Amino acid sequence: MGFEPAISLTEQIADHLSNEIIRGRLKPRARIQELKVAGELGVSRGSVREALLILEKRHLIRIIPRRGAVVSAMEGQEIANFCELYTELQVLFFRKLAALPGQHLERLEPALNEMNAALSQPDVTRLLAARAQFLAASLTQLDNFYLNSVLEGLVPAGMRVAHLVAAHENFEPRDTLRYHQALTAALAERAGDRAGELVRAFHGREKRLALGCIDGGGESPRGAPRGHPLSGKSHTPA
């Protein structure tokens, strides 16, 4: 693993482990052993311990007394609760951004271009990363510390749900670009209500697909059994 000196070692370890969790390589409920990670990455155990504190703030792990760090399960109700909060925070954010005079929507263009490039390959991982890039660029435009910091802290968990949804048979990658283009247009028109409607529609569908993956509610991910991908549980069809 190559580390970039411009980023602190702790942050690099946290980013590496975050990607392992978000993409499902570190499984739900799995223990993250400090000594093992330190040996694999060639870093100190103290640096790993500090990185785990960052992961806990990103809502990707739970640090349990006498058990250590465990990848959060995000079971059905947890996903429902998370999606509800994440959606409503984005509705509030984008409505405020739409009302803001002097928007700098050109800051969103690189993310939209990245989505186009990802679709042409196609590369779903790159597409989802561009989603996070779009939100990050949006956050730079609104001076609201508390709203921005809460949203930013939830992005990794949001990416985790997005990767689950992307494996679903009904996932349509181009809808991601269409949604962000429509949202940008609503912001340009300063149509806050329209922006809120778009956010609710897009993330509402994601919530339904994510829950469908878990409870077998009529829809299941491509190549995966009906069951509980985030919790590691599976159900045997009757």
Side-chain angles (χ1 to χ4, degrees):
M1 179 181 177
F3 290 116
E4 295 293 334
I7 306 173
S8 76
L9 179 62
T10 298
E11 290 173 330
Q12 291 177 64
I13 298 169
D15 288 345
H16 169 72
L17 293 174
S18 291
N19 285 331
E20 295 293 289
I21 295 170
I22 288 169
R23 299 183 187 183
R25 291 192 285 264
L26 267 176
K27 301 301 182 183
R29 303 181 187 279
R31 287 188 61 196
I32 301 178
Q33 300 176 2
E34 294 175 5
L35 194 58
K36 181 179 179 181
V37 173
E40 290 175 346
L41 302 183
V43 298
S44 71
R45 188 171 181 178
S47 295
V48 174
R49 186 176 298 116
E50 291 177 10
L52 293 177
L53 295 175
I54 296 175
L55 290 186
E56 188 176 37
K57 291 180 180 179
R58 293 177 181 178
H59 310 284
L60 295 175
I61 69 168
R62 294 176 180 173
I63 298 178
I64 304 172
R66 295 183 296 278
R67 286 191 60 195
V70 178
V71 178
S72 59
M74 284 191 76
E75 295 180 325
Q77 190 57 49
E78 291 177 341
I79 288 182
N81 292 341
F82 169 78
C83 289
E84 180 182 7
L85 175 63
Y86 197 50
T87 298
E88 291 308 312
L89 285 173
Q90 290 199 56
V91 168
L92 176 61
F93 173 83
F94 283 111
R95 289 185 67 174
K96 285 182 175 293
L97 185 56
L100 187 69
Q103 300 168 352
H104 298 283
L105 299 183
E106 70 278 1
R107 297 180 188 177
L108 306 180
E109 291 178 5
L112 294 174
N113 292 337
E114 184 70 3
M115 290 179 202
N116 256 318
L119 288 169
S120 67
Q121 290 185 342
D123 186 336
V124 172
T125 298
R126 185 178 177 184
L127 177 68
L128 298 183
R131 277 181 54 171
Q133 181 184 347
F134 182 97
L135 182 56
S138 301
L139 288 170
T140 65
Q141 302 185 54
L142 187 66
D143 184 17
N144 189 321
F145 171 78
Y146 295 103
L147 177 56
N148 290 6
S149 60
V150 171
L151 257 179
E152 187 175 13
L154 292 174
V155 167
M159 290 293 290
R160 192 178 177 193
V161 173
H163 273 268
L164 169 65
V165 171
H168 197 285
E169 62 186 359
N170 290 336
F171 173 71
E172 174 48 61
R174 191 157 294 277
D175 285 346
T176 298
L177 176 60
R178 294 191 188 105
Y179 160 67
H180 287 89
Q181 288 175 330
L183 182 57
T184 302
L187 294 174
E189 296 166 9
R190 303 189 65 180
D193 289 343
R194 175 61 178 157
E197 291 171 359
L198 288 165
V199 172
R200 283 200 176 98
F202 180 78
H203 287 278
R205 174 168 171 76
E206 286 211 327
K207 175 184 173 181
R208 291 191 296 273
L209 292 178
L211 293 176
C213 290
I214 290 171
D215 60 19
E219 297 176 308
S220 61
R222 287 190 293 264
R226 298 187 190 280
H228 199 316
L230 286 182
S231 71
K233 299 177 182 177
S234 61
H235 302 297
T236 303

XYZ file of all heavy atoms in Angstrom, residues 149-218:
525
model
N -21.231 19.761 8.481
C -20.385 18.781 9.164
C -21.138 17.479 9.428
O -20.559 16.392 9.315
C -19.841 19.356 10.471
O -20.894 19.719 11.351
N -22.429 17.574 9.746
C -23.213 16.354 9.953
C -23.340 15.582 8.647
O -23.145 14.359 8.602
C -24.600 16.689 10.534
C -25.490 15.454 10.549
C -24.466 17.240 11.951
N -23.653 16.284 7.568
C -23.779 15.622 6.267
C -22.467 14.980 5.850
O -22.434 13.829 5.399
C -24.218 16.637 5.205
C -25.676 16.618 4.758
C -25.932 17.704 3.725
C -26.064 15.259 4.214
N -21.381 15.717 5.996
C -20.073 15.207 5.601
C -19.724 13.946 6.386
O -19.162 12.990 5.840
C -19.010 16.282 5.820
C -17.640 15.924 5.296
C -16.652 17.057 5.433
O -16.953 18.026 6.156
O -15.567 16.976 4.824
N -20.089 13.921 7.671
C -19.797 12.765 8.490
C -20.586 11.523 8.104
O -20.160 10.399 8.395
N -21.724 11.712 7.438
C -22.571 10.592 7.046
C -22.251 10.057 5.645
O -22.768 9.014 5.256
C -24.050 11.004 7.100
C -24.616 11.271 8.493
C -26.039 11.811 8.388
C -24.595 10.017 9.356
N -21.420 10.768 4.903
C -21.124 10.364 3.518
C -20.566 8.939 3.423
O -21.009 8.162 2.570
C -20.178 11.375 2.838
C -19.617 10.813 1.526
C -20.926 12.677 2.552
N -19.599 8.522 4.265
C -19.095 7.142 4.134
C -20.186 6.087 4.293
O -20.225 5.106 3.541
C -18.047 7.052 5.240
C -17.582 8.458 5.437
C -18.818 9.286 5.272
N -21.082 6.270 5.275
C -22.184 5.314 5.434
C -23.113 5.376 4.225
O -23.634 4.344 3.779
C -22.952 5.605 6.721
N -23.302 6.572 3.687
C -24.114 6.699 2.477
C -23.497 5.972 1.302
O -24.202 5.339 0.502
N -22.175 6.028 1.194
C -21.487 5.314 0.122
C -21.614 3.807 0.300
O -21.708 3.050 -0.663
C -20.020 5.725 0.092
C -19.784 7.150 -0.382
S -20.213 7.358 -2.129
C -18.889 6.420 -2.891
N -21.628 3.381 1.537
C -21.779 1.950 1.814
C -23.141 1.449 1.319
O -23.243 0.397 0.685
C -21.619 1.708 3.311
C -21.466 0.254 3.688
C -21.271 0.124 5.180
N -21.186 -1.287 5.564
C -21.270 -1.720 6.802
N -21.417 -0.858 7.798
N -21.196 -3.002 7.076
N -24.188 2.216 1.598
C -25.519 1.854 1.112
C -25.554 1.923 -0.416
O -26.135 1.052 -1.074
C -26.588 2.771 1.726
C -27.957 2.522 1.088
C -26.675 2.563 3.231
N -24.912 2.939 -0.998
C -24.910 3.091 -2.453
C -24.246 1.898 -3.137
O -24.702 1.444 -4.198
C -24.197 4.383 -2.846
N -23.171 1.372 -2.554
C -22.513 0.198 -3.138
C -23.400 -1.030 -3.051
O -23.395 -1.869 -3.959
C -21.173 -0.063 -2.446
C -20.034 0.704 -3.041
N -19.229 0.197 -4.038
C -19.586 1.965 -2.799
C -18.320 1.098 -4.373
N -18.516 2.178 -3.636
N -24.166 -1.144 -1.977
C -25.131 -2.240 -1.876
C -26.175 -2.126 -2.978
O -26.465 -3.097 -3.690
C -25.810 -2.215 -0.506
C -27.032 -3.127 -0.326
C -26.611 -4.597 -0.425
C -27.715 -2.859 1.005
N -26.720 -0.935 -3.142
C -27.767 -0.711 -4.144
C -27.230 -0.956 -5.551
O -27.943 -1.468 -6.423
C -28.330 0.718 -4.008
C -29.267 1.059 -5.163
C -29.067 0.872 -2.677
N -25.969 -0.599 -5.791
C -25.390 -0.753 -7.127
C -25.295 -2.208 -7.566
O -25.164 -2.488 -8.758
C -24.008 -0.104 -7.173
N -25.353 -3.137 -6.604
C -25.323 -4.560 -6.944
C -26.714 -5.106 -7.233
O -26.849 -6.282 -7.577
C -24.686 -5.353 -5.802
N -27.722 -4.272 -7.113
C -29.105 -4.715 -7.285
C -29.437 -4.855 -8.767
O -28.981 -4.077 -9.597
C -30.046 -3.700 -6.630
C -31.418 -4.223 -6.377
N -32.344 -4.385 -7.379
C -32.024 -4.618 -5.232
C -33.458 -4.850 -6.853
N -33.289 -5.009 -5.555
N -30.251 -5.836 -9.092
C -30.614 -6.079 -10.491
C -31.388 -4.922 -11.113
O -31.381 -4.747 -12.331
C -31.443 -7.367 -10.602
C -32.765 -7.325 -9.843
C -33.472 -8.665 -9.868
O -32.928 -9.607 -10.493
O -34.549 -8.776 -9.261
N -32.057 -4.110 -10.299
C -32.823 -2.974 -10.809
C -32.062 -1.653 -10.744
O -32.639 -0.599 -11.016
C -34.144 -2.841 -10.039
C -35.100 -3.969 -10.366
O -35.019 -4.587 -11.427
N -36.002 -4.272 -9.445
N -30.804 -1.715 -10.384
C -29.994 -0.496 -10.371
C -29.697 -0.061 -11.799
O -29.224 -0.848 -12.618
C -28.682 -0.742 -9.622
C -27.708 0.407 -9.694
C -27.945 1.580 -9.008
C -26.547 0.294 -10.456
C -27.043 2.637 -9.068
C -25.641 1.338 -10.525
C -25.888 2.516 -9.827
N -29.954 1.208 -12.097
C -29.681 1.763 -13.415
C -28.635 2.872 -13.269
O -28.942 3.965 -12.784
C -30.966 2.332 -14.031
C -30.773 3.063 -15.356
C -29.924 2.291 -16.348
O -30.337 1.183 -16.730
O -28.837 2.800 -16.708
N -27.384 2.613 -13.656
C -26.318 3.597 -13.446
C -26.618 4.977 -14.028
O -26.288 5.996 -13.409
C -25.110 2.955 -14.141
C -25.386 1.489 -14.091
C -26.874 1.362 -14.250
N -27.258 5.020 -15.191
C -27.489 6.318 -15.825
C -28.448 7.196 -15.019
O -28.409 8.415 -15.134
C -28.016 6.117 -17.256
C -28.043 7.394 -18.082
C -28.026 7.113 -19.560
N -26.773 6.513 -19.984
C -25.674 7.224 -20.263
N -25.688 8.535 -20.152
N -24.580 6.609 -20.650
N -29.274 6.576 -14.175
C -30.164 7.373 -13.325
C -29.373 8.277 -12.382
O -29.847 9.348 -11.997
C -31.076 6.463 -12.511
C -32.194 5.848 -13.344
O -32.432 6.334 -14.481
O -32.822 4.884 -12.879
N -28.175 7.827 -12.004
C -27.341 8.636 -11.119
C -26.968 9.944 -11.783
O -27.061 11.023 -11.177
C -26.071 7.859 -10.727
O -26.443 6.674 -10.021
C -25.151 8.696 -9.846
N -26.551 9.886 -13.047
C -26.210 11.101 -13.769
C -27.446 11.960 -14.002
O -27.415 13.183 -13.798
C -25.555 10.752 -15.108
C -25.231 11.945 -16.026
C -24.274 12.907 -15.345
C -24.662 11.468 -17.356
N -28.546 11.336 -14.399
C -29.777 12.102 -14.660
C -30.220 12.866 -13.415
O -30.631 14.027 -13.488
C -30.889 11.157 -15.125
C -30.644 10.492 -16.470
C -31.915 9.807 -16.948
N -31.696 9.005 -18.140
C -31.628 7.680 -18.155
N -31.788 6.993 -17.024
N -31.430 7.016 -19.278
N -30.160 12.189 -12.281
C -30.572 12.837 -11.028
C -29.702 14.048 -10.720
O -30.218 15.141 -10.397
C -30.494 11.831 -9.881
C -30.424 12.459 -8.512
C -31.503 13.173 -7.995
C -29.264 12.343 -7.728
C -31.430 13.759 -6.733
C -29.202 12.915 -6.470
C -30.274 13.615 -5.968
O -30.210 14.199 -4.735
N -28.400 13.896 -10.812
C -27.513 15.002 -10.470
C -27.607 16.134 -11.486
O -27.445 17.307 -11.127
C -26.079 14.494 -10.321
C -25.870 13.699 -9.072
N -26.069 12.331 -9.015
C -25.508 14.073 -7.814
C -25.830 11.900 -7.785
N -25.484 12.924 -7.044
N -27.855 15.811 -12.734
C -28.085 16.864 -13.734
C -29.368 17.634 -13.430
O -29.399 18.876 -13.503
C -28.153 16.250 -15.130
C -26.816 15.769 -15.669
C -26.939 15.052 -17.000
O -27.967 14.420 -17.283
N -25.905 15.122 -17.825
N -30.434 16.899 -13.102
C -31.710 17.547 -12.782
C -31.585 18.386 -11.511
O -32.154 19.488 -11.417
C -32.805 16.494 -12.623
N -30.843 17.884 -10.536
C -30.643 18.626 -9.294
C -29.866 19.912 -9.558
O -30.200 20.980 -9.021
C -29.902 17.743 -8.287
C -29.647 18.332 -6.899
C -30.944 18.771 -6.233
C -28.913 17.313 -6.019
N -28.852 19.829 -10.402
C -28.081 21.025 -10.764
C -28.974 22.047 -11.464
O -28.882 23.254 -11.199
C -26.897 20.640 -11.673
O -26.067 19.691 -11.000
C -26.065 21.860 -12.028
N -29.850 21.571 -12.355
C -30.765 22.477 -13.049
C -31.718 23.148 -12.059
O -32.011 24.356 -12.174
C -31.557 21.711 -14.105
N -32.213 22.388 -11.084
C -33.104 22.969 -10.080
C -32.381 24.033 -9.255
O -32.953 25.081 -8.926
C -33.651 21.872 -9.169
N -31.125 23.785 -8.930
C -30.340 24.780 -8.203
C -30.144 26.042 -9.041
O -30.249 27.162 -8.523
C -28.980 24.192 -7.812
C -28.998 23.042 -6.796
C -27.588 22.466 -6.630
C -29.543 23.501 -5.448
N -29.867 25.848 -10.329
C -29.668 26.995 -11.220
C -30.925 27.843 -11.319
O -30.857 29.072 -11.434
C -29.234 26.512 -12.601
N -32.083 27.196 -11.280
C -33.368 27.899 -11.358
C -33.825 28.412 -10.001
O -34.893 29.013 -9.894
C -34.423 26.962 -11.945
C -34.144 26.551 -13.383
C -35.006 25.375 -13.824
O -35.930 25.002 -13.054
O -34.756 24.841 -14.918
N -33.031 28.096 -8.961
C -33.348 28.468 -7.583
C -34.693 27.901 -7.172
O -35.479 28.539 -6.469
C -33.287 29.982 -7.411
C -31.927 30.580 -7.787
C -31.788 32.027 -7.422
N -31.825 32.216 -5.966
C -31.716 33.422 -5.384
N -31.569 34.500 -6.143
N -31.750 33.519 -4.077
N -34.953 26.681 -7.622
C -36.212 25.987 -7.344
C -35.990 25.019 -6.184
O -35.730 23.823 -6.381
C -36.691 25.252 -8.591
N -36.080 25.528 -4.966
C -35.798 24.726 -3.784
C -36.757 23.560 -3.602
O -36.338 22.462 -3.234
N -38.051 23.809 -3.864
C -39.026 22.722 -3.708
C -38.751 21.601 -4.689
O -38.847 20.415 -4.347
C -40.453 23.251 -3.901
C -40.898 24.120 -2.736
O -40.259 24.059 -1.669
O -41.886 24.869 -2.894
N -38.398 21.976 -5.910
C -38.082 20.979 -6.925
C -36.841 20.193 -6.522
O -36.788 18.955 -6.667
C -37.857 21.661 -8.276
C -37.399 20.743 -9.407
C -38.411 19.658 -9.693
N -38.005 18.808 -10.808
C -38.436 17.583 -10.992
N -39.311 17.039 -10.149
N -38.024 16.876 -12.022
N -35.843 20.873 -6.003
C -34.632 20.188 -5.552
C -34.965 19.173 -4.458
O -34.484 18.034 -4.471
C -33.614 21.204 -5.036
N -35.824 19.580 -3.524
C -36.217 18.667 -2.457
C -36.958 17.450 -2.969
O -36.743 16.321 -2.500
N -37.829 17.658 -3.950
C -38.568 16.538 -4.545
C -37.619 15.550 -5.217
O -37.802 14.330 -5.117
C -39.573 17.068 -5.570
C -40.735 17.844 -4.967
C -41.576 18.533 -6.024
O -41.234 18.406 -7.236
O -42.558 19.204 -5.662
N -36.623 16.071 -5.917
C -35.654 15.209 -6.598
C -34.864 14.372 -5.589
O -34.648 13.173 -5.796
C -34.697 16.060 -7.440
C -35.290 16.672 -8.708
C -34.376 17.772 -9.246
C -35.512 15.602 -9.770
N -34.430 15.012 -4.517
C -33.663 14.293 -3.490
C -34.510 13.174 -2.895
O -34.049 12.032 -2.760
C -33.198 15.265 -2.388
C -32.580 14.491 -1.220
C -32.181 16.256 -2.939
N -35.747 13.482 -2.555
C -36.604 12.471 -1.928
C -36.888 11.311 -2.884
O -36.908 10.147 -2.472
C -37.916 13.102 -1.467
C -37.799 13.916 -0.196
C -39.133 14.102 0.485
N -38.963 14.810 1.753
C -39.166 16.110 1.901
N -39.552 16.841 0.870
N -38.984 16.689 3.079
N -37.109 11.621 -4.152
C -37.410 10.562 -5.117
C -36.209 9.649 -5.321
O -36.325 8.416 -5.302
C -37.847 11.174 -6.441
N -35.033 10.242 -5.513
C -33.832 9.454 -5.789
C -33.436 8.598 -4.587
O -33.223 7.385 -4.701
C -32.680 10.385 -6.175
C -31.393 9.677 -6.485
C -31.210 9.036 -7.708
C -30.356 9.647 -5.564
C -30.021 8.381 -8.001
C -29.167 8.997 -5.853
C -29.005 8.364 -7.065
N -33.364 9.223 -3.420
C -32.928 8.480 -2.238
C -34.026 7.571 -1.706
O -33.729 6.546 -1.074
C -32.441 9.451 -1.165
C -31.124 10.067 -1.493
N -29.932 9.430 -1.256
C -30.801 11.256 -2.079
C -28.929 10.196 -1.658
N -29.434 11.304 -2.164
N -35.274 7.907 -1.984
C -36.357 7.003 -1.605
C -36.276 5.698 -2.363
O -36.494 4.620 -1.794
N -35.943 5.785 -3.645
C -35.779 4.555 -4.434
C -34.585 3.753 -3.923
O -34.650 2.526 -3.814
C -35.608 4.885 -5.910
C -35.290 3.652 -6.762
C -35.408 3.921 -8.243
N -34.894 2.805 -9.024
C -35.539 1.642 -9.212
N -36.720 1.458 -8.661
N -35.006 0.681 -9.946
N -33.495 4.433 -3.604
C -32.332 3.727 -3.075
C -32.675 2.993 -1.777
O -32.244 1.853 -1.562
C -31.180 4.709 -2.834
C -30.494 5.171 -4.099
C -29.036 5.477 -3.874
O -28.690 5.930 -2.768
O -28.237 5.240 -4.801
N -33.452 3.636 -0.930
C -33.855 2.994 0.324
C -34.655 1.726 0.041
O -34.425 0.684 0.651
C -34.674 3.973 1.160
C -35.256 3.382 2.427
C -36.139 4.398 3.136
C -36.877 3.776 4.310
N -37.771 4.765 4.983
N -35.588 1.801 -0.911
C -36.408 0.632 -1.231
C -35.556 -0.503 -1.783
O -35.755 -1.679 -1.438
C -37.511 1.012 -2.226
C -38.579 1.918 -1.640
C -39.769 2.041 -2.561
N -39.439 2.681 -3.829
C -39.445 3.997 -4.016
N -39.743 4.817 -3.018
N -39.148 4.509 -5.198
N -34.601 -0.185 -2.644
C -33.737 -1.221 -3.196
C -32.854 -1.843 -2.110
O -32.663 -3.062 -2.078
C -32.866 -0.643 -4.314
C -33.587 -0.221 -5.597
C -32.596 0.369 -6.597
C -34.337 -1.381 -6.221
N -32.316 -0.995 -1.234
C -31.461 -1.511 -0.161
C -32.242 -2.449 0.754
O -31.775 -3.537 1.099
C -30.868 -0.355 0.642
N -33.442 -2.050 1.141
C -34.258 -2.887 2.011
C -34.726 -4.137 1.279
O -34.871 -5.206 1.880
C -35.448 -2.097 2.543
C -35.087 -0.962 3.508
C -36.328 -0.170 3.902
C -34.375 -1.491 4.747
N -34.952 -4.028 -0.030
C -35.318 -5.192 -0.818
C -34.213 -6.221 -0.848
O -34.459 -7.431 -0.849
N -32.959 -5.749 -0.853
C -31.822 -6.667 -0.806
C -31.803 -7.454 0.498
O -31.407 -8.618 0.531
C -30.515 -5.883 -0.924
S -30.195 -5.156 -2.540
N -32.230 -6.809 1.573
C -32.095 -7.401 2.892
C -33.236 -8.345 3.225
O -33.025 -9.474 3.663
C -32.009 -6.288 3.953
C -30.680 -5.576 3.792
C -32.156 -6.849 5.357
C -30.558 -4.339 4.608
N -34.483 -7.892 3.005
C -35.608 -8.705 3.466
C -36.247 -9.535 2.374
O -37.259 -10.189 2.592
C -36.672 -7.830 4.135
C -37.243 -6.761 3.195
O -37.108 -6.913 1.958
O -37.819 -5.790 3.701
N -35.629 -9.517 1.152
C -36.198 -10.301 0.064
C -37.538 -9.768 -0.379
O -38.380 -10.527 -0.843
N -37.723 -8.444 -0.243
C -39.011 -7.848 -0.567
C -39.267 -7.761 -2.049
O -39.539 -6.689 -2.584
N -39.171 -8.879 -2.739
C -39.506 -8.907 -4.158
C -38.341 -8.585 -5.056
O -38.404 -8.762 -6.255
